Every structure is written in structure tokens, then in C-alpha cells.
Amino acid sequence: MNKSDVLIVGGGLIGLCLSYFLGKIGLSVIVIDKDEITNSKITAHDYRPTAISEGTKVILDNFGIWQKIKQNTEPIKSIKVIDRIKENNISFINPRRNSFLGYIIKNKLIKKTLINEISLNKKISLFEKTLITDIQIFDNSVLINTNKQILSAPLLIA
């Protein structure tokens, strides 16, 4: 049985971010995903963008990720919501000088950075191509049976 402080089901952007943050504060983390998430050929084909709010930028900066991705981001200077009639249109701007509403980055770029950083942290384990066959919830722990082994932690995030 493989034990950790936290089990995370899903190795997408949120699962990777959360595992990185928890690992940075010293918790042992296991990320379980049915797919192969560290294969750069697969990650390279993720053309979706992600919008990062100013608040999220601060969190990423505090955990040392922002410096590694900021050169790949594009600031959001304004947002215009256009509806069918002119009276319903909304425009957003940040009135603070040199501040933005957020940033846009390609998923593949932030995932690549997170995977690189996670690989350097011995507290974080990625279980790829792993299928969950059963979950058992107890008072103080969770047991997950997979096609490879049994995993246990006091906290499951899915």
C-alpha cells in the first residue's frame, strides 16, 4: 500500500497546480490520472488557453511559478462583453496604472512548467495510466484501489 497526505484524482491543470502547491508546503501527494499526463507529445497538442486572474498570479508568484511562465503570458488589458443590444454591453478595465485584468497563457506551457517542477519534488508522485477500481471512505482515511496498487491518505480531492 502506498500512503500519502493527499490523494488527487485528475492530473489536469487544477490537479497539477494543487499537487505542486501542497508539495511545496511539505505534504506528500499522489496524483492519479487515467491518461499519460507527462508525455510531451500529448501535452504539446493542448492548444486551449487559460485565463489567469490577478489574484491567481499572486499565488503563482508566491509559489515560484509566475517567474517561470510570465514570458509566455499575454496581459488582459480590457474585456468587452457584447450582447445583442447595445444597452446590454459591458466593458471592463482595471483603473490602476500598470495593472491588468489578468493574463492569458496556453495550457501546454503552464502544464509543462508544472510537470517540470513536480518532477523535482520527491513529495509528489504522479500515477499515470492508472484506473481507479474502488474507493473506500473511512472515518480518518480513504483507500483507493487501482489497476496497479492500493493508495491511502486522510484526504481525497477529486
Side-chain angles (χ1 to χ4, degrees):
M1 184 180 328
N2 201 330
K3 294 184 177 185
S4 68
D5 294 317
V6 181
L7 297 170
I8 297 175
V9 176
L13 195 54
I14 298 301
L16 292 173
C17 278
L18 184 57
S19 67
Y20 174 76
F21 297 152
L22 294 174
K24 281 290 271 190
I25 64 170
L27 296 176
S28 60
V29 181
I30 295 174
V31 179
I32 309 157
D33 200 286
K34 63 181 172 58
D35 296 321
E36 191 175 8
I37 57 177
T38 59
N39 184 331
S40 60
K41 290 181 183 176
I42 294 170
T43 305
H45 291 96
D46 187 353
Y47 297 107
R48 297 172 296 166
T50 293
I52 297 175
S53 70
E54 192 66 33
T56 300
K57 175 201 165 225
V58 170
I59 293 168
L60 292 171
D61 198 22
N62 289 338
F63 279 93
I65 291 291
W66 184 251
Q67 291 300 321
K68 297 174 187 330
I69 66 168
K70 74 178 183 178
Q71 71 276 7
N72 295 311
T73 64
E74 185 65 36
I76 302 170
K77 298 176 183 173
S78 66
I79 298 173
K80 295 181 184 202
V81 179
I82 301 172
D83 200 351
R84 291 182 197 120
I85 57 176
K86 189 175 182 179
E87 290 77 25
N88 290 343
N89 295 349
I90 305 170
S91 293
F92 297 95
I93 58 167
N94 192 334
R96 289 183 292 165
R97 178 177 272 191
N98 298 322
S99 290
F100 303 109
L101 294 169
Y103 304 84
I104 299 290
I105 185 170
K106 291 179 183 173
N107 278 3
K108 64 183 176 182
L109 298 174
I110 192 166
K111 277 184 178 178
K112 180 181 177 185
T113 301
L114 286 167
I115 289 168
N116 287 341
E117 293 300 309
I118 286 169
S119 70
L120 300 173
N121 190 330
K122 294 185 186 330
K123 291 263 190 194
I124 307 169
S125 300
L126 300 178
F127 285 65
E128 302 176 272
K129 296 166 104 177
T130 302
L131 299 175
I132 296 171
T133 57
D134 187 43
I135 299 175
Q136 298 173 38
I137 301 171
F138 302 99
D139 287 338
N140 296 316
S141 66
V142 174
L143 278 180
I144 293 184
N145 294 306
T146 73
N147 60 325
K148 297 180 180 178
Q149 61 184 296
I150 298 171
L151 308 171
S152 174
L155 178 61
L156 168 66
I157 300 171

